[in-house]
Every structure is written in C-alpha cells, then in structure tokens.
Amino acid sequence: MSTPGLRTTARGRLLAHGNDDHGQVTGIRAAAEGRTVVAVSGGAFHSLALTEEGDLLAAGPDGSGTHPDDHGQVAEIVAAAARERADGSAIIRIAAGGLHSLALTDRGRLLAGGSDQAGVAKILDAARGKVVVAIAAGLCHSYAITDRGELLAEGGCDGDDAVQGIKDAIAREEAGSGPDGGRIVRIAEVAAGAHFSLALPERGRLLGSPSAPVPEATPSSIAAGSEHSLAITDRGELLAAGDDRYGQTRIQEEARGRRVIAVAGGLAHSLAVTDQGELLATGPGRTVQDGSGPRMDFGQVTDLLDAARDGRIVAVAAGTFHSLAIEGERDCGPLKAGEVCLAFTAPPRCHLRVQSDAAFVGVEPAGARRLAVQAGRSCEVVVTDGRGVNHPGNVVFTAAGKGFAVDDAGSRLPDGLTHTRPHPVTGAVTFIWTSTTRRT
C-alpha cells in the first residue's frame, strides 16, 4: 500500500480539448497557464488539475447554482482545498465525478464537494479519523482507500450496483468464496464507471460489481469509462472490455505491441499513454458514427491527438465529452514505504544506474524509477555519459518526513552530478548531470 504524500505523478504542461459548455476546457487551460501540472481529472461538466506546489485548480459550473448541472462540484472542492492549503497541507490526489469532486491532502485527509447523491457527506463521515491514500469518483458514487487497504464506498445512482456490488464482491472474497478467499482483502486501487465499479486487491484477482465489464487478466492498474473498463498488465499490455459502440475498446488494438503506462476512459472514448510518450486515443471522431444517437464528437479524441502530436505525453484523464493530458516528464508510480523515486535530467544517450543490495535501477534522461532503500545504507551510482564513459560514485539516503532525501555528507557523487530536494508533492529526487569532462 502506498505511503500518504508520496504518490508520484507526471509533471508538465496541461492540454485540454473537447466539450466546453461549462468552461471545463478553456477554464482549466486558463487556470493552468504558466503552471506545472502533476495530475488531471475530468468529470461530467468540470475539470480538476493539481500543480507541483500542491494547489488545486478547477473549472466548470461557477457555483452560482443557477444552472441545473451546478452542484458545487467546483466551488466546494476549491474552497475545501484552500482551507487545507492555508493550514499548511498540500493537495496530492484529485478525482472528478459526475457532479462531485474528491481530493486528498498530504496528511491523508479526504476532501469532497458537490452532489450528495454521490455520497459526499457519507464518504467524508466514513473517512473521518482515517488516513486515506487513494480516491476515485464515478458518475454518482465516491471511493476512498485507507492506509490499511480498506475500501470506503458511498453514493450510487438509483438502481445501479456500483457501491453495494463492489462491497459484496470484497465480502465474498474475504468469506472464502473466491479462489483467494478466507483472508482480509486489502484494496490497492479502485476504478469507477458510470454504474459499475472495479477494485484491484494487493493480492489476488480483479474484483467487479455485477454489471462491471472485467478484463480477462490480473492487471497492475485499472480505469473505467462510462460502460467500459481498461487495464494495464505488469508487462504494459493494455486490456479493454465492455461497450464498443463508438470504438472505445478498440484502444486495445491501437496499443498492441506497445508498452502502456497510463489509461483513462470517458463516456465513449478511451485514452492511453505509451512508455515512449505517445498518446493513443479511440472513440468519436476516429470511428464511423451512424448518426442515430446523441452527438458524441466534440474533438475530445481528434483535437487532443493533434495537440499532442509533437509532444511527450505522460498522463491523461477523460471527462464525459472532454479530455485532459499532461505534456512533459514522467515520474514513478505510487511509492510504497521504503521506496524513493529517482528522476534523471541529462542530455540524450546518458544513463543513470543505481545499485542498492539486490535492487538495481536504470534511469534514462527524462525518465524515473522506484528504488527500495534503507536510510544510511550506501548505494552504488554510475552515470554513463553520451560518449559511453562511466562515472562512478555512491549515494546515501536519509529519512526525510515520509520519504527520503540525499545525505550529502555521506554521499560521494560523481563530479558533475547534482540533485534536487525531494519534490514536495511527488517525493521524487531528481539527479542532474551537467559534467562535460571525459574520463578514462
């Protein structure tokens, strides 16, 4: 289970395209202008973004209550985040639902705002006194995962099985009816569709509510669209299941042969990011529509693909009819206790290698890797420069808050290799190679 405050993300420039009837596209672009964004999330009519300083940005219904789609999903979460920031907390996770929003602070405190049909008040009550490490928001349901692996689930649209169904699935697994039953099921990740839910345990098979389309594999990461599911395996293979009326599950074909690092699903479209920074997208605008249904094409696929064509995409989010992405650099995934995120900035063809006991990581320029470390233990570090020459040294990490920092007194870094302090939101330590000295 990940440590609160150390959920690493992408970072870079925000892209947004698609339906803009409430300013969810132009508004979030304006809010993020000149800011470095580390996370994005899209709801039915609103958008959320998180900056590297831990500030929450939001755009959508203005909070006046004059529009039937305005349930305070923007105004209330912005106000809650501002109070936390004034108290010294940073926002580290965001989730935009149908008509509500969730956020998480670096102290493990859950924030929520918007329609109470989504269980906003109940999820806040359920999380009171607990440390929350992950969140998810569906059409009208809310989820939080505690540091003990407990799934808190509230809300639900009339007649759907999203909340009770996933609770029942976990209970059956714990009662022993599943192949890995008879144990406490600790949940690592949850995904919320329009009327269904998926939960990924730390160990064991993927669980779903009765109406959930479940991919045929045990994935390492999951996402949900309106009526379709997306998943990534340990090998980076993308899986998709469920409704394909607009080609949304054809993202699986699009990704075949590529290693995928992130996925997101909207009402009728799907987005994916490869380890090479390539954006993949399917849905309206990329497939033939018969014209018999409501308008689905707002440029959430084609316009985003155009905008991302020459950039490196590192994260995506899908609203109902709009899409969000981050163009920039990629960090590690969620960190576990005892792990540090290593990022590396250097000219092309350079390479950073770090050896800690049996753990070995290699980090390419603009890349990032997780490393299990112990405070005070020396790790071997080698920079291979653009000429292929190795520059050896060692690095010692020291405990810093909930994460790790570099112990400058105990480390002997190669000449020309410097480092940043741990990032306040992601916890990443970035090594920077500036040496042009050729060594023999």
Side-chain angles (χ1 to χ4, degrees), residues 3-55:
T3 303
L6 292 179
R7 289 192 164 263
T8 56
T9 62
R11 60 162 63 89
R13 183 173 70 96
L14 179 142
L15 305 178
H17 291 275
N19 188 29
D20 193 38
D21 56 353
H22 289 286
Q24 59 265 51
V25 168
T26 54
I28 201 67
R29 283 183 194 163
E33 183 69 30
R35 307 292 297 271
T36 298
V37 174
V38 298
V40 286
S41 186
F45 307 104
H46 67 297
S47 299
L48 304 177
L50 178 62
T51 73
E52 64 177 348
E53 297 84 10
D55 293 326

mmCIF file of all heavy atoms in Angstrom, residues 3-55:
data_model
loop_
_atom_site.group_PDB
_atom_site.id
_atom_site.type_symbol
_atom_site.label_atom_id
_atom_site.label_comp_id
_atom_site.label_asym_id
_atom_site.label_seq_id
_atom_site.Cartn_x
_atom_site.Cartn_y
_atom_site.Cartn_z
ATOM 1 N N THR A 3 2.401 5.005 0.504
ATOM 2 C CA THR A 3 2.531 5.894 1.644
ATOM 3 C C THR A 3 1.868 7.222 1.352
ATOM 4 O O THR A 3 2.105 7.814 0.304
ATOM 5 C CB THR A 3 4.024 6.128 1.941
ATOM 6 O OG1 THR A 3 4.632 4.861 2.151
ATOM 7 C CG2 THR A 3 4.209 7.002 3.161
ATOM 8 N N PRO A 4 1.021 7.750 2.245
ATOM 9 C CA PRO A 4 0.381 9.043 2.002
ATOM 10 C C PRO A 4 1.424 10.124 1.753
ATOM 11 O O PRO A 4 2.442 10.185 2.415
ATOM 12 C CB PRO A 4 -0.380 9.292 3.311
ATOM 13 C CG PRO A 4 -0.559 7.951 3.919
ATOM 14 C CD PRO A 4 0.642 7.155 3.517
ATOM 15 N N GLY A 5 1.140 10.978 0.776
ATOM 16 C CA GLY A 5 2.040 12.072 0.491
ATOM 17 C C GLY A 5 3.132 11.729 -0.495
ATOM 18 O O GLY A 5 3.875 12.594 -0.921
ATOM 19 N N LEU A 6 3.254 10.454 -0.878
ATOM 20 C CA LEU A 6 4.328 10.057 -1.773
ATOM 21 C C LEU A 6 3.792 9.406 -3.041
ATOM 22 O O LEU A 6 4.389 8.496 -3.588
ATOM 23 C CB LEU A 6 5.284 9.093 -1.053
ATOM 24 C CG LEU A 6 6.087 9.720 0.073
ATOM 25 C CD1 LEU A 6 6.967 8.672 0.717
ATOM 26 C CD2 LEU A 6 6.949 10.861 -0.434
ATOM 27 N N ARG A 7 2.652 9.849 -3.516
ATOM 28 C CA ARG A 7 2.111 9.314 -4.760
ATOM 29 C C ARG A 7 2.690 10.132 -5.903
ATOM 30 O O ARG A 7 2.260 11.246 -6.159
ATOM 31 C CB ARG A 7 0.600 9.363 -4.762
ATOM 32 C CG ARG A 7 0.031 8.335 -3.801
ATOM 33 C CD ARG A 7 -1.452 8.168 -4.002
ATOM 34 N NE ARG A 7 -1.845 6.937 -3.347
ATOM 35 C CZ ARG A 7 -1.981 5.782 -3.964
ATOM 36 N NH1 ARG A 7 -1.742 5.685 -5.242
ATOM 37 N NH2 ARG A 7 -2.347 4.708 -3.310
ATOM 38 N N THR A 8 3.668 9.583 -6.576
ATOM 39 C CA THR A 8 4.331 10.331 -7.619
ATOM 40 C C THR A 8 3.487 10.382 -8.882
ATOM 41 O O THR A 8 2.643 9.537 -9.129
ATOM 42 C CB THR A 8 5.696 9.721 -7.930
ATOM 43 O OG1 THR A 8 5.520 8.352 -8.264
ATOM 44 C CG2 THR A 8 6.611 9.842 -6.746
ATOM 45 N N THR A 9 3.722 11.395 -9.666
ATOM 46 C CA THR A 9 2.885 11.671 -10.819
ATOM 47 C C THR A 9 3.739 12.118 -11.986
ATOM 48 O O THR A 9 4.951 12.167 -11.907
ATOM 49 C CB THR A 9 1.901 12.814 -10.498
ATOM 50 O OG1 THR A 9 2.657 13.987 -10.199
ATOM 51 C CG2 THR A 9 1.026 12.474 -9.321
ATOM 52 N N ALA A 10 3.069 12.470 -13.075
ATOM 53 C CA ALA A 10 3.738 13.161 -14.170
ATOM 54 C C ALA A 10 3.845 14.637 -13.806
ATOM 55 O O ALA A 10 3.265 15.091 -12.832
ATOM 56 C CB ALA A 10 2.911 12.983 -15.439
ATOM 57 N N ARG A 11 4.596 15.373 -14.610
ATOM 58 C CA ARG A 11 4.611 16.817 -14.424
ATOM 59 C C ARG A 11 4.867 17.490 -15.760
ATOM 60 O O ARG A 11 5.617 16.984 -16.599
ATOM 61 C CB ARG A 11 5.674 17.259 -13.411
ATOM 62 C CG ARG A 11 7.099 16.898 -13.751
ATOM 63 C CD ARG A 11 8.081 17.736 -12.946
ATOM 64 N NE ARG A 11 7.962 17.494 -11.538
ATOM 65 C CZ ARG A 11 8.640 16.547 -10.872
ATOM 66 N NH1 ARG A 11 9.453 15.762 -11.530
ATOM 67 N NH2 ARG A 11 8.514 16.406 -9.582
ATOM 68 N N GLY A 12 4.193 18.629 -15.975
ATOM 69 C CA GLY A 12 4.405 19.343 -17.228
ATOM 70 C C GLY A 12 3.272 20.298 -17.536
ATOM 71 O O GLY A 12 2.628 20.853 -16.642
ATOM 72 N N ARG A 13 3.008 20.476 -18.834
ATOM 73 C CA ARG A 13 2.029 21.444 -19.331
ATOM 74 C C ARG A 13 0.692 20.765 -19.572
ATOM 75 O O ARG A 13 0.626 19.664 -20.124
ATOM 76 C CB ARG A 13 2.543 22.053 -20.639
ATOM 77 C CG ARG A 13 1.654 23.126 -21.244
ATOM 78 C CD ARG A 13 2.347 23.758 -22.427
ATOM 79 N NE ARG A 13 2.439 22.852 -23.553
ATOM 80 C CZ ARG A 13 1.577 22.824 -24.575
ATOM 81 N NH1 ARG A 13 0.523 23.636 -24.577
ATOM 82 N NH2 ARG A 13 1.752 21.989 -25.570
ATOM 83 N N LEU A 14 -0.388 21.429 -19.192
ATOM 84 C CA LEU A 14 -1.722 20.858 -19.338
ATOM 85 C C LEU A 14 -2.258 21.074 -20.750
ATOM 86 O O LEU A 14 -2.145 22.167 -21.316
ATOM 87 C CB LEU A 14 -2.669 21.483 -18.315
ATOM 88 C CG LEU A 14 -4.127 20.992 -18.351
ATOM 89 C CD1 LEU A 14 -4.696 20.881 -16.952
ATOM 90 C CD2 LEU A 14 -5.012 21.924 -19.186
ATOM 91 N N LEU A 15 -2.861 20.014 -21.314
ATOM 92 C CA LEU A 15 -3.610 20.085 -22.567
ATOM 93 C C LEU A 15 -5.062 19.747 -22.264
ATOM 94 O O LEU A 15 -5.339 18.865 -21.450
ATOM 95 C CB LEU A 15 -3.060 19.091 -23.593
ATOM 96 C CG LEU A 15 -1.567 19.165 -23.931
ATOM 97 C CD1 LEU A 15 -1.212 18.068 -24.931
ATOM 98 C CD2 LEU A 15 -1.183 20.526 -24.459
ATOM 99 N N ALA A 16 -6.005 20.417 -22.925
ATOM 100 C CA ALA A 16 -7.429 20.137 -22.713
ATOM 101 C C ALA A 16 -8.194 20.392 -24.000
ATOM 102 O O ALA A 16 -8.013 21.437 -24.636
ATOM 103 C CB ALA A 16 -7.990 21.005 -21.588
ATOM 104 N N HIS A 17 -9.064 19.431 -24.379
ATOM 105 C CA HIS A 17 -9.852 19.562 -25.601
ATOM 106 C C HIS A 17 -11.178 18.834 -25.434
ATOM 107 O O HIS A 17 -11.289 17.894 -24.646
ATOM 108 C CB HIS A 17 -9.089 18.995 -26.799
ATOM 109 C CG HIS A 17 -7.900 19.817 -27.172
ATOM 110 N ND1 HIS A 17 -7.980 20.909 -27.985
ATOM 111 C CD2 HIS A 17 -6.604 19.706 -26.789
ATOM 112 C CE1 HIS A 17 -6.773 21.449 -28.117
ATOM 113 N NE2 HIS A 17 -5.921 20.730 -27.398
ATOM 114 N N GLY A 18 -12.177 19.286 -26.195
ATOM 115 C CA GLY A 18 -13.489 18.647 -26.157
ATOM 116 C C GLY A 18 -14.596 19.616 -25.801
ATOM 117 O O GLY A 18 -14.473 20.834 -25.987
ATOM 118 N N ASN A 19 -15.683 19.078 -25.291
ATOM 119 C CA ASN A 19 -16.855 19.881 -24.965
ATOM 120 C C ASN A 19 -16.515 20.934 -23.915
ATOM 121 O O ASN A 19 -15.903 20.635 -22.889
ATOM 122 C CB ASN A 19 -17.970 18.970 -24.452
ATOM 123 C CG ASN A 19 -19.280 19.713 -24.266
ATOM 124 O OD1 ASN A 19 -19.554 20.693 -24.963
ATOM 125 N ND2 ASN A 19 -20.089 19.259 -23.330
ATOM 126 N N ASP A 20 -16.957 22.179 -24.168
ATOM 127 C CA ASP A 20 -16.587 23.300 -23.295
ATOM 128 C C ASP A 20 -17.803 24.099 -22.852
ATOM 129 O O ASP A 20 -17.712 25.297 -22.605
ATOM 130 C CB ASP A 20 -15.601 24.209 -24.052
ATOM 131 C CG ASP A 20 -14.906 25.205 -23.162
ATOM 132 O OD1 ASP A 20 -14.564 24.847 -22.016
ATOM 133 O OD2 ASP A 20 -14.698 26.356 -23.600
ATOM 134 N N ASP A 21 -18.945 23.421 -22.719
ATOM 135 C CA ASP A 21 -20.173 24.161 -22.427
ATOM 136 C C ASP A 21 -20.172 24.817 -21.053
ATOM 137 O O ASP A 21 -20.932 25.749 -20.798
ATOM 138 C CB ASP A 21 -21.407 23.258 -22.587
ATOM 139 C CG ASP A 21 -21.352 22.007 -21.735
ATOM 140 O OD1 ASP A 21 -20.305 21.743 -21.102
ATOM 141 O OD2 ASP A 21 -22.354 21.268 -21.699
ATOM 142 N N HIS A 22 -19.341 24.368 -20.142
ATOM 143 C CA HIS A 22 -19.233 24.991 -18.822
ATOM 144 C C HIS A 22 -17.836 25.566 -18.575
ATOM 145 O O HIS A 22 -17.483 25.848 -17.432
ATOM 146 C CB HIS A 22 -19.560 23.980 -17.727
ATOM 147 C CG HIS A 22 -21.009 23.610 -17.655
ATOM 148 N ND1 HIS A 22 -21.977 24.443 -17.144
ATOM 149 C CD2 HIS A 22 -21.663 22.492 -18.068
ATOM 150 C CE1 HIS A 22 -23.159 23.863 -17.210
ATOM 151 N NE2 HIS A 22 -22.999 22.676 -17.775
ATOM 152 N N GLY A 23 -17.052 25.716 -19.636
ATOM 153 C CA GLY A 23 -15.700 26.232 -19.474
ATOM 154 C C GLY A 23 -14.736 25.214 -18.909
ATOM 155 O O GLY A 23 -13.642 25.567 -18.452
ATOM 156 N N GLN A 24 -15.115 23.926 -18.957
ATOM 157 C CA GLN A 24 -14.244 22.894 -18.393
ATOM 158 C C GLN A 24 -12.948 22.714 -19.185
ATOM 159 O O GLN A 24 -11.974 22.159 -18.655
ATOM 160 C CB GLN A 24 -14.984 21.554 -18.278
ATOM 161 C CG GLN A 24 -15.519 20.972 -19.577
ATOM 162 C CD GLN A 24 -16.967 21.325 -19.823
ATOM 163 O OE1 GLN A 24 -17.350 22.497 -19.756
ATOM 164 N NE2 GLN A 24 -17.794 20.320 -20.122
ATOM 165 N N VAL A 25 -12.943 23.193 -20.439
ATOM 166 C CA VAL A 25 -11.736 23.117 -21.257
ATOM 167 C C VAL A 25 -10.968 24.439 -21.232
ATOM 168 O O VAL A 25 -9.821 24.510 -20.804
ATOM 169 C CB VAL A 25 -12.085 22.711 -22.702
ATOM 170 C CG1 VAL A 25 -10.894 22.913 -23.635
ATOM 171 C CG2 VAL A 25 -12.535 21.252 -22.744
ATOM 172 N N THR A 26 -11.603 25.510 -21.687
ATOM 173 C CA THR A 26 -10.911 26.804 -21.720
ATOM 174 C C THR A 26 -10.611 27.307 -20.314
ATOM 175 O O THR A 26 -9.579 27.947 -20.083
ATOM 176 C CB THR A 26 -11.743 27.849 -22.471
ATOM 177 O OG1 THR A 26 -13.062 27.920 -21.889
ATOM 178 C CG2 THR A 26 -11.881 27.476 -23.940
ATOM 179 N N GLY A 27 -11.486 27.012 -19.371
ATOM 180 C CA GLY A 27 -11.276 27.465 -17.999
ATOM 181 C C GLY A 27 -10.081 26.806 -17.341
ATOM 182 O O GLY A 27 -9.290 27.462 -16.651
ATOM 183 N N ILE A 28 -9.936 25.493 -17.530
ATOM 184 C CA ILE A 28 -8.810 24.805 -16.891
ATOM 185 C C ILE A 28 -7.513 25.158 -17.610
ATOM 186 O O ILE A 28 -6.441 25.226 -16.979
ATOM 187 C CB ILE A 28 -9.041 23.271 -16.845
ATOM 188 C CG1 ILE A 28 -8.161 22.628 -15.754
ATOM 189 C CG2 ILE A 28 -8.817 22.637 -18.196
ATOM 190 C CD1 ILE A 28 -8.524 23.014 -14.358
ATOM 191 N N ARG A 29 -7.592 25.408 -18.930
ATOM 192 C CA ARG A 29 -6.391 25.870 -19.628
ATOM 193 C C ARG A 29 -5.914 27.200 -19.055
ATOM 194 O O ARG A 29 -4.722 27.403 -18.802
ATOM 195 C CB ARG A 29 -6.685 26.066 -21.119
ATOM 196 C CG ARG A 29 -6.755 24.825 -21.960
ATOM 197 C CD ARG A 29 -6.980 25.279 -23.394
ATOM 198 N NE ARG A 29 -7.378 24.223 -24.278
ATOM 199 C CZ ARG A 29 -7.934 24.428 -25.465
ATOM 200 N NH1 ARG A 29 -8.162 25.678 -25.869
ATOM 201 N NH2 ARG A 29 -8.269 23.421 -26.241
ATOM 202 N N ALA A 30 -6.863 28.117 -18.855
ATOM 203 C CA ALA A 30 -6.504 29.434 -18.327
ATOM 204 C C ALA A 30 -5.946 29.327 -16.912
ATOM 205 O O ALA A 30 -4.956 29.985 -16.565
ATOM 206 C CB ALA A 30 -7.722 30.353 -18.343
ATOM 207 N N ALA A 31 -6.558 28.481 -16.089
ATOM 208 C CA ALA A 31 -6.105 28.330 -14.703
ATOM 209 C C ALA A 31 -4.705 27.757 -14.635
ATOM 210 O O ALA A 31 -3.922 28.089 -13.728
ATOM 211 C CB ALA A 31 -7.074 27.440 -13.934
ATOM 212 N N ALA A 32 -4.365 26.881 -15.594
ATOM 213 C CA ALA A 32 -3.070 26.194 -15.574
ATOM 214 C C ALA A 32 -1.998 26.923 -16.378
ATOM 215 O O ALA A 32 -0.852 26.462 -16.409
ATOM 216 C CB ALA A 32 -3.228 24.776 -16.109
ATOM 217 N N GLU A 33 -2.338 28.045 -17.001
ATOM 218 C CA GLU A 33 -1.372 28.773 -17.813
ATOM 219 C C GLU A 33 -0.156 29.166 -16.979
ATOM 220 O O GLU A 33 -0.273 29.795 -15.922
ATOM 221 C CB GLU A 33 -2.018 30.033 -18.402
ATOM 222 C CG GLU A 33 -1.116 30.823 -19.319
ATOM 223 C CD GLU A 33 -0.838 30.101 -20.620
ATOM 224 O OE1 GLU A 33 -1.704 29.322 -21.071
ATOM 225 O OE2 GLU A 33 0.244 30.325 -21.197
ATOM 226 N N GLY A 34 1.013 28.750 -17.432
ATOM 227 C CA GLY A 34 2.239 29.082 -16.723
ATOM 228 C C GLY A 34 2.517 28.232 -15.500
ATOM 229 O O GLY A 34 3.509 28.461 -14.807
ATOM 230 N N ARG A 35 1.665 27.257 -15.210
ATOM 231 C CA ARG A 35 1.853 26.392 -14.047
ATOM 232 C C ARG A 35 2.339 25.004 -14.490
ATOM 233 O O ARG A 35 2.008 24.532 -15.582
ATOM 234 C CB ARG A 35 0.529 26.213 -13.267
ATOM 235 C CG ARG A 35 -0.176 27.504 -12.873
ATOM 236 C CD ARG A 35 0.588 28.286 -11.832
ATOM 237 N NE ARG A 35 0.728 27.579 -10.567
ATOM 238 C CZ ARG A 35 -0.172 27.653 -9.562
ATOM 239 N NH1 ARG A 35 -1.289 28.360 -9.710
ATOM 240 N NH2 ARG A 35 0.047 27.029 -8.422
ATOM 241 N N THR A 36 3.085 24.357 -13.629
ATOM 242 C CA THR A 36 3.484 22.976 -13.874
ATOM 243 C C THR A 36 2.464 22.061 -13.234
ATOM 244 O O THR A 36 2.238 22.106 -12.023
ATOM 245 C CB THR A 36 4.882 22.691 -13.295
ATOM 246 O OG1 THR A 36 5.831 23.525 -13.951
ATOM 247 C CG2 THR A 36 5.269 21.229 -13.511
ATOM 248 N N VAL A 37 1.822 21.245 -14.040
ATOM 249 C CA VAL A 37 0.725 20.390 -13.595
ATOM 250 C C VAL A 37 1.238 18.976 -13.374
ATOM 251 O O VAL A 37 2.007 18.457 -14.175
ATOM 252 C CB VAL A 37 -0.426 20.409 -14.623
ATOM 253 C CG1 VAL A 37 -1.510 19.416 -14.260
ATOM 254 C CG2 VAL A 37 -1.006 21.817 -14.717
ATOM 255 N N VAL A 38 0.796 18.334 -12.276
ATOM 256 C CA VAL A 38 1.259 16.976 -11.968
ATOM 257 C C VAL A 38 0.128 15.949 -11.998
ATOM 258 O O VAL A 38 0.389 14.747 -11.937
ATOM 259 C CB VAL A 38 1.970 16.926 -10.601
ATOM 260 C CG1 VAL A 38 3.203 17.808 -10.606
ATOM 261 C CG2 VAL A 38 1.033 17.323 -9.465
ATOM 262 N N ALA A 39 -1.133 16.389 -12.073
ATOM 263 C CA ALA A 39 -2.254 15.450 -12.158
ATOM 264 C C ALA A 39 -3.453 16.163 -12.748
ATOM 265 O O ALA A 39 -3.621 17.384 -12.577
ATOM 266 C CB ALA A 39 -2.604 14.884 -10.778
ATOM 267 N N VAL A 40 -4.306 15.410 -13.464
ATOM 268 C CA VAL A 40 -5.528 15.945 -14.056
ATOM 269 C C VAL A 40 -6.671 14.954 -13.850
ATOM 270 O O VAL A 40 -6.449 13.755 -13.710
ATOM 271 C CB VAL A 40 -5.352 16.231 -15.567
ATOM 272 C CG1 VAL A 40 -4.518 17.464 -15.801
ATOM 273 C CG2 VAL A 40 -4.746 15.030 -16.294
ATOM 274 N N SER A 41 -7.892 15.463 -13.850
ATOM 275 C CA SER A 41 -9.069 14.610 -13.736
ATOM 276 C C SER A 41 -10.255 15.315 -14.375
ATOM 277 O O SER A 41 -10.409 16.537 -14.231
ATOM 278 C CB SER A 41 -9.377 14.293 -12.265
ATOM 279 O OG SER A 41 -10.433 13.359 -12.161
ATOM 280 N N GLY A 42 -11.099 14.551 -15.084
ATOM 281 C CA GLY A 42 -12.241 15.132 -15.773
ATOM 282 C C GLY A 42 -13.545 14.539 -15.306
ATOM 283 O O GLY A 42 -13.668 13.322 -15.149
ATOM 284 N N GLY A 43 -14.533 15.386 -15.065
ATOM 285 C CA GLY A 43 -15.865 14.950 -14.672
ATOM 286 C C GLY A 43 -16.859 15.127 -15.797
ATOM 287 O O GLY A 43 -16.481 15.274 -16.970
ATOM 288 N N ALA A 44 -18.139 15.129 -15.452
ATOM 289 C CA ALA A 44 -19.162 15.298 -16.484
ATOM 290 C C ALA A 44 -19.123 16.692 -17.087
ATOM 291 O O ALA A 44 -19.182 16.862 -18.304
ATOM 292 C CB ALA A 44 -20.539 15.016 -15.893
ATOM 293 N N PHE A 45 -18.998 17.715 -16.229
ATOM 294 C CA PHE A 45 -19.032 19.096 -16.697
ATOM 295 C C PHE A 45 -17.886 19.938 -16.132
ATOM 296 O O PHE A 45 -17.919 21.152 -16.245
ATOM 297 C CB PHE A 45 -20.364 19.758 -16.313
ATOM 298 C CG PHE A 45 -21.572 18.988 -16.748
ATOM 299 C CD1 PHE A 45 -22.303 18.243 -15.831
ATOM 300 C CD2 PHE A 45 -21.978 18.999 -18.077
ATOM 301 C CE1 PHE A 45 -23.430 17.529 -16.229
ATOM 302 C CE2 PHE A 45 -23.093 18.289 -18.477
ATOM 303 C CZ PHE A 45 -23.816 17.548 -17.562
ATOM 304 N N HIS A 46 -16.919 19.303 -15.492
ATOM 305 C CA HIS A 46 -15.855 20.083 -14.876
ATOM 306 C C HIS A 46 -14.507 19.380 -14.992
ATOM 307 O O HIS A 46 -14.433 18.194 -15.332
ATOM 308 C CB HIS A 46 -16.172 20.384 -13.406
ATOM 309 C CG HIS A 46 -16.177 19.196 -12.496
ATOM 310 N ND1 HIS A 46 -17.058 18.142 -12.624
ATOM 311 C CD2 HIS A 46 -15.395 18.886 -11.416
ATOM 312 C CE1 HIS A 46 -16.850 17.257 -11.669
ATOM 313 N NE2 HIS A 46 -15.828 17.681 -10.929
ATOM 314 N N SER A 47 -13.453 20.139 -14.731
ATOM 315 C CA SER A 47 -12.086 19.626 -14.795
ATOM 316 C C SER A 47 -11.332 20.033 -13.544
ATOM 317 O O SER A 47 -11.535 21.119 -13.006
ATOM 318 C CB SER A 47 -11.348 20.191 -16.019
ATOM 319 O OG SER A 47 -11.979 19.815 -17.219
ATOM 320 N N LEU A 48 -10.446 19.143 -13.096
ATOM 321 C CA LEU A 48 -9.564 19.414 -11.975
ATOM 322 C C LEU A 48 -8.123 19.218 -12.424
ATOM 323 O O LEU A 48 -7.831 18.363 -13.253
ATOM 324 C CB LEU A 48 -9.850 18.471 -10.801
ATOM 325 C CG LEU A 48 -11.274 18.432 -10.241
ATOM 326 C CD1 LEU A 48 -11.363 17.383 -9.132
ATOM 327 C CD2 LEU A 48 -11.705 19.794 -9.740
ATOM 328 N N ALA A 49 -7.218 20.005 -11.859
ATOM 329 C CA ALA A 49 -5.790 19.846 -12.106
ATOM 330 C C ALA A 49 -5.047 20.143 -10.818
ATOM 331 O O ALA A 49 -5.515 20.907 -9.968
ATOM 332 C CB ALA A 49 -5.322 20.766 -13.228
ATOM 333 N N LEU A 50 -3.879 19.534 -10.682
ATOM 334 C CA LEU A 50 -3.063 19.691 -9.483
ATOM 335 C C LEU A 50 -1.691 20.197 -9.892
ATOM 336 O O LEU A 50 -1.069 19.648 -10.807
ATOM 337 C CB LEU A 50 -2.941 18.343 -8.772
ATOM 338 C CG LEU A 50 -2.083 18.266 -7.514
ATOM 339 C CD1 LEU A 50 -2.643 19.162 -6.425
ATOM 340 C CD2 LEU A 50 -2.008 16.823 -7.025
ATOM 341 N N THR A 51 -1.214 21.251 -9.230
ATOM 342 C CA THR A 51 0.091 21.803 -9.558
ATOM 343 C C THR A 51 1.182 21.152 -8.714
ATOM 344 O O THR A 51 0.909 20.505 -7.703
ATOM 345 C CB THR A 51 0.140 23.316 -9.318
ATOM 346 O OG1 THR A 51 0.170 23.577 -7.907
ATOM 347 C CG2 THR A 51 -1.061 24.006 -9.940
ATOM 348 N N GLU A 52 2.434 21.352 -9.121
ATOM 349 C CA GLU A 52 3.539 20.747 -8.390
ATOM 350 C C GLU A 52 3.697 21.330 -6.992
ATOM 351 O O GLU A 52 4.313 20.712 -6.124
ATOM 352 C CB GLU A 52 4.841 20.894 -9.172
ATOM 353 C CG GLU A 52 5.311 22.303 -9.388
ATOM 354 C CD GLU A 52 6.645 22.362 -10.103
ATOM 355 O OE1 GLU A 52 7.296 21.312 -10.223
ATOM 356 O OE2 GLU A 52 7.041 23.457 -10.544
ATOM 357 N N GLU A 53 3.106 22.495 -6.744
ATOM 358 C CA GLU A 53 3.156 23.070 -5.399
ATOM 359 C C GLU A 53 2.083 22.511 -4.484
ATOM 360 O O GLU A 53 2.065 22.804 -3.288
ATOM 361 C CB GLU A 53 3.013 24.601 -5.459
ATOM 362 C CG GLU A 53 4.114 25.323 -6.183
ATOM 363 C CD GLU A 53 3.895 25.359 -7.694
ATOM 364 O OE1 GLU A 53 2.802 25.000 -8.161
ATOM 365 O OE2 GLU A 53 4.833 25.752 -8.411
ATOM 366 N N GLY A 54 1.164 21.705 -5.041
ATOM 367 C CA GLY A 54 0.079 21.159 -4.245
ATOM 368 C C GLY A 54 -1.172 22.005 -4.252
ATOM 369 O O GLY A 54 -2.038 21.864 -3.383
ATOM 370 N N ASP A 55 -1.306 22.897 -5.244
ATOM 371 C CA ASP A 55 -2.506 23.716 -5.383
ATOM 372 C C ASP A 55 -3.523 23.024 -6.282
ATOM 373 O O ASP A 55 -3.155 22.400 -7.279
ATOM 374 C CB ASP A 55 -2.164 25.078 -5.992
ATOM 375 C CG ASP A 55 -1.320 25.939 -5.074
ATOM 376 O OD1 ASP A 55 -1.512 25.848 -3.852
ATOM 377 O OD2 ASP A 55 -0.459 26.688 -5.580
#
